[in-house]
Amino acid sequence: MPENEPIESWDYTLYIPNDLRAVTVCRRTLRLILTMHGMIGLVDTAELLATELVSNALRHTKGPVAFRVRRAPEGVVWIGAWDTDPAPPDPPRPLEQVGEAEEEGRGLSLVTACADYWGWRPSVRFGDHGKYVWCELVAA
């Protein structure tokens, strides 16, 4: 793409019930979106990040969840999950402090290790107060 041509931006949101099977739906939807937009090189990392964000949202809340993926005009791909718990996420631990056998506690540690940047903010959807946890990947 020529340098002076603007980067294509897009935005997809998937509203999902509180059902762990929705993690697979989000992951496969993300793979399709990135593939269709010619970003196959990001798929594996993006799927890992989406799995962690969506499964955290589903495990720690009882309400609905929203999954969002978008590409900003700057070329950054944002992946995020909204849930109905307004409390901030627990701070991630460095991966070397998380045991391989542990079933929980690796989510945001993986996000921190694999994403270029991540964060969270309070947010309202469906009339419920909650939070939006997101990460970004710089598209090559």
Side-chain angles (χ1 to χ4, degrees), residues 2-135:
E3 282 186 38
N4 58 353
E5 193 170 321
I7 293 174
E8 176 189 27
S9 60
W10 36 262
D11 193 337
Y12 297 88
T13 301
L14 183 61
Y15 299 95
I16 57 177
N18 195 299
D19 181 341
L20 283 175
R21 293 174 291 191
V23 174
T24 301
V25 172
C26 292
R27 196 172 52 241
R28 290 184 180 166
T29 301
L30 175 62
R31 175 174 285 273
L32 181 60
I33 290 167
L34 293 176
T35 300
M36 297 303 293
H37 285 284
M39 305 179 86
I40 193 72
L42 291 181
V43 168
D44 291 337
T45 302
E47 280 186 323
L48 173 66
L49 298 172
T51 297
E52 296 305 329
L53 294 175
V54 173
S55 58
N56 280 349
L58 291 169
R59 283 191 181 110
H60 299 294
T61 65
K62 292 185 173 144
V65 170
F67 171 68
R68 183 178 185 194
V69 59
R70 69 182 181 100
R71 184 173 190 196
E74 303 82 33
V76 174
V77 174
W78 294 68
I79 301 165
W82 176 88
D83 65 50
T84 57
D85 182 3
D90 291 335
R93 296 183 292 168
L95 278 177
E96 54 274 1
Q97 292 179 8
V98 179
E100 287 184 32
E102 290 183 49
E103 288 294 317
E104 295 183 6
R106 292 187 307 254
L108 284 179
S109 297
L110 286 171
V111 171
T112 300
C114 297
D116 292 305
Y117 193 69
W118 80 276
W120 77 278
R121 69 174 196 261
S123 183
V124 176
R125 282 189 187 251
F126 311 112
D128 293 319
H129 290 276
K131 70 179 166 296
Y132 182 66
V133 181
W134 54 271
C135 64

